[in-house]
């Protein structure tokens, strides 16, 4: 398996923006959100199992998973949340391992928004946290998603705190400046990860 750097950060911290900068350096990106969507694509065994359990009303008119409805069910019924996790986690894990095994870059960047919340930090060789203060997080999230301050605050409150996330970090990227200002730090970390992947030493 290639050396794995987990990249995480709160909503709107700039994970995608920073991941793109690593991708531009030739690093392969494995995106946990993309995998989570992939395993429940129309026609997938997991989506069929969900329909058997919850009925056709769990599908949209297009035949895709009606996420909002499923979210509502698992929010109200912890038993259903457990059932879903037991169904999806092994599939997500297997697909993640498969993509890692196929990777050809010296290390891979595994982008996992809920790394800390789901206790997945031990599945990576290194944890990189994209960090901005909460004011910036709220402002960028509101601007991007067109939501109110209250809505943005609610999402933040449901995630790990900045402190909890930073406590898990091996490395930190400060993304409070412009994206261009973060590039030297990305280049520096890239060199560090190449060294670590090749020699196991910093
Ligand atoms: P999410 O967890 O919600 O998917 P994210 O952590 O992937 O978010 P991005 O989508 O990369 O964050 O960034 C959030 C928003 O902030 C985007 O609109 C992005 O263009 C903007 N943004 C990211 N980095 C910067 C920056 N350094 N300066 C200004 N705007 C930025």
């Amino acid at each position: 398996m290639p050396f794995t750097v987990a990249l995480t950060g709160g909503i709107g911290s700039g994970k995608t923006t920073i991941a793109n900068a690593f991708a531009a350096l030739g690093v392969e990106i494995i995106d946990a959100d993309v995998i989570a969507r992939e395993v429940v694509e129309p026609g997938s065994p997991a989506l069929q199992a969900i329909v058997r359990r919850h009925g056709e009303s769990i599908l949209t008119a297009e035949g895709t998973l009606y996420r909002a409805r499923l979210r509502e069910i698992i929010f109200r019924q912890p038993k259903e949340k457990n059932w879903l996790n037991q169904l999806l986690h092994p599939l997500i894990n297997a697909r993640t391992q498969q993509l890692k095994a196929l990777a050809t870059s010296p290390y891979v960047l595994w982008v996992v928004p809920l790394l800390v919340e789901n206790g997945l930090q031990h599945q990576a060789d290194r944890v990189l946290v994209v960090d901005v203060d909460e004011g910036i997080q709220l402002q960028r999230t509101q601007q991007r998603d067109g939501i109110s301050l209250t809505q943005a605050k609610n999402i933040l409150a449901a995630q790990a705190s900045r402190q909890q996330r930073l406590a898990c970090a091996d490395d930190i990227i400060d993304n409070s400046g412009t994206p261009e200002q973060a590039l030297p730090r990305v280049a520096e970390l890239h060199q560090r990860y190449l060294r670590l992947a090749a020699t196991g030493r910093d």
Side-chain angles (χ1 to χ4, degrees):
M1 284 292 163
F3 189 83
T4 301
V5 177
L7 181 144
T8 194
I11 184 170
S13 57
K15 294 178 293 295
T16 307
T17 306
I18 297 296
N20 288 341
F22 278 95
L25 298 174
V27 180
E28 287 184 39
I29 310 296
I30 297 179
D31 186 322
D33 279 352
V34 170
I35 296 174
R37 280 196 294 274
E38 226 177 58
V39 299
V40 292
E41 270 172 1
S44 64
L47 188 58
Q48 288 165 3
I50 294 169
V51 171
R52 276 197 301 277
R53 189 160 180 104
H54 294 293
E56 297 278 336
S57 65
I58 207 69
L59 295 176
T60 64
E62 290 77 39
T64 60
L65 180 60
Y66 197 157
R67 287 167 188 285
R69 191 161 283 168
L70 186 61
R71 254 198 311 273
E72 203 177 301
I73 293 173
I74 66 174
F75 179 72
R76 289 176 204 283
Q77 303 178 52
K79 183 165 81 66
E80 294 307 319
K81 186 174 181 177
N82 286 340
W83 179 85
L84 191 69
N85 284 342
Q86 276 170 27
L87 172 73
L88 298 184
H89 282 179
L91 296 171
I92 292 171
N93 206 15
R95 180 69 180 145
T96 306
Q97 297 309 320
Q98 190 185 30
L99 289 175
K100 279 189 195 175
L102 288 171
T104 54
S105 59
Y107 70 93
V108 297
L109 195 70
W110 178 37
V111 181
V112 196
L114 299 179
L115 185 84
V116 174
E117 290 82 349
N118 291 336
L120 299 173
Q121 53 270 39
H122 305 294
Q123 293 185 24
D125 297 296
R126 196 93 186 162
V127 174
L128 170 58
V129 170
V130 182
D131 184 52
V132 294
D133 68 35
E134 293 190 348
I136 294 180
Q137 238 185 310
L138 289 170
Q139 183 204 333
R140 289 183 185 163
T141 303
Q142 266 185 279
Q143 222 160 44
R144 185 195 52 190
D145 299 341
I147 57 176
S148 70
L149 181 60
T150 311
Q151 282 171 311
K153 278 186 172 169
N154 285 342
I155 299 171
L156 244 77
Q159 297 193 337
S161 69
R162 185 182 186 192
Q163 225 176 359
Q164 284 170 322
R165 210 175 278 112
L166 288 176
C168 298
D170 296 300
D171 305 297
I172 298 166
I173 290 190
D174 174 5
N175 186 34
S176 53
T178 63
E180 291 70 32
Q181 282 172 327
L183 292 181
R185 177 70 175 145
V186 169
E188 178 193 3
L189 287 169
H190 179 56
Q191 291 306 320
R192 170 178 285 175
Y193 298 150
L194 288 176
R195 270 196 311 276
L196 280 166
T199 68
R201 282 194 303 274
D202 201 351

